[in-house]
Amino acid sequence: MNKAYWVIVRNFDVALNEGEIPFGPAEEFGLNARKKTEIGNYQGFPVYWLRATEEDNQREFAYLRTQVSRPPEFAHLLHRAVSLNHFFSTHQFCGKCGEETVFADNEIASHCNACGNRTYPTISPSIIVAVRKGREILLANHLRHKGTIYTTLAGFVEAGEPIENTVHREVFEETGIKVKNIRYFGSQPWAFPNSLMIGFLADYESGEISLQEEEIYDAKWFDCDEPLPELPPEGTIALKLIQTTLKLCREE
């Protein structure tokens, strides 16, 4: 009996077994007859994605956001499973001829036998950036977190737009601030439903805070030695950006 990790996905939720992703032989979890797709490897064991069905209704499910603090390599595979689940759920018919599609035989893609059109999982790049001004960091309270979490600024890359331009544009649109000295920081898949967060550090150049009220409820400069508001949870690239920027502030 070969052991594996089993990522059973329902919308943006993943199934848990006693608080953990099911791990063990397929028979242990009643999955031996189920269609599965290998999406990677973790600690020497394969990781499989499965679509949730009615027979999974008795399982415990948890929202993907609650799992971001897991080891990054494994958390990324959870995001991959949720993204793929969303992609295939929304690409059941061919966008070219309208016929029903099937799962491609030799790769992860949606295939139309009628016209031969093949569609691959969508990835939507977005930037996320922490802005520093001397010993202060710019943090924003978005409308979706009104009155709670303050975080970094973020936004989607537009068609034909260089990523660095996205950083300048999003910061200015949301806060009226101009930035300089943009540096790449890192990235994180964010399966809500198919984003790739590309992180940057930036320095303040000019401007006064002017809010984009359709998206931002509040934005302020916070001194690195003063009490901070509620921040994003562990495991998020937003928190890592904030922590790195605070360190830079204290070295100023």
Side-chain angles (χ1 to χ4, degrees):
M1 294 190 296
N2 295 324
K3 293 183 177 180
Y5 289 93
W6 306 94
V7 188
I8 305 168
V9 181
R10 182 179 65 191
N11 297 322
F12 295 105
D13 298 337
V14 294
L16 300 179
N17 180 54
E18 297 182 350
E20 297 296 332
I21 300 298
F23 172 72
E27 293 81 1
E28 182 177 335
F29 305 104
L31 302 172
N32 49 308
R34 296 274 294 275
K35 178 178 174 57
K36 61 186 183 296
T37 302
E38 186 170 353
I39 58 171
N41 190 279
Y42 182 66
Q43 295 185 339
F45 296 95
V47 179
Y48 290 102
W49 155 58
L50 301 85
R51 289 181 180 179
T53 65
E54 288 186 1
E55 61 189 273
D56 297 308
N57 288 343
Q58 79 284 0
R59 300 186 193 274
E60 171 194 359
F61 280 85
Y63 190 37
L64 179 62
R65 283 180 186 265
T66 65
Q67 306 300 305
V68 295
S69 62
R70 292 186 181 275
E73 181 185 355
F74 193 59
H76 294 167
L77 288 168
L78 298 183
H79 279 272
R80 178 169 171 77
V82 172
S83 285
L84 290 175
N85 196 74
H86 175 80
F87 171 77
F88 284 102
S89 296
T90 56
H91 288 75
Q92 298 180 49
F93 295 91
C94 179
K96 186 176 180 181
C97 73
E99 290 295 319
E100 191 170 354
T101 59
V102 296
F103 200 100
D105 290 332
N106 57 346
E107 56 186 350
I108 297 178
S110 173
H111 182 77
C112 176
N113 287 325
C115 71
N117 185 51
R118 183 164 291 197
T119 305
Y120 296 87
T122 302
I123 299 173
S124 300
S126 61
I127 64 92
I128 182 167
V129 55
V131 181
R132 181 178 74 95
K133 182 172 70 172
R135 293 178 58 80
E136 296 179 316
I137 182 173
L138 179 63
L139 296 176
N141 180 221
H142 294 74
L143 285 177
R144 64 182 179 276
H145 297 140
K146 185 176 179 180
T148 57
I149 294 173
Y150 277 71
T151 185
T152 50
L153 301 174
F156 286 101
V157 180
E158 294 184 350
E161 182 180 47
I163 291 176
E164 295 82 0
N165 288 22
T166 310
V167 176
H168 287 287
R169 177 179 58 78
E170 285 291 343
V171 174
F172 185 75
E173 286 180 355
E174 294 188 352
T175 65
I177 297 297
K178 292 186 177 181
V179 295
K180 61 182 180 180
N181 193 24
I182 296 171
R183 295 96 70 199
Y184 175 72
F185 176 80
S187 64
Q188 181 178 39
W190 200 243
F192 300 103
N194 50 23
S195 298
L196 174 64
M197 304 290 289
I198 305 168
F200 293 89
L201 301 171
D203 295 334
Y204 168 84
E205 181 175 286
S206 63
E208 298 295 328
I209 293 176
S210 175
L211 302 180
Q212 185 182 34
E213 295 183 351
E214 312 90 76
E215 294 189 26
I216 307 296
Y217 177 69
D218 187 31
K220 295 177 182 177
W221 293 104
F222 290 88
D223 188 282
C224 62
D225 291 328
E226 297 296 325
L228 295 172
E230 182 182 352
L231 299 177
E234 289 288 342
T236 60
I237 191 172
L239 182 61
K240 293 176 183 176
L241 281 164
I242 292 169
Q243 292 170 336
T244 299
T245 301
L246 291 172
K247 184 176 183 293
L248 292 172
C249 288
R250 295 183 180 113
E251 293 171 353
E252 178 74 12

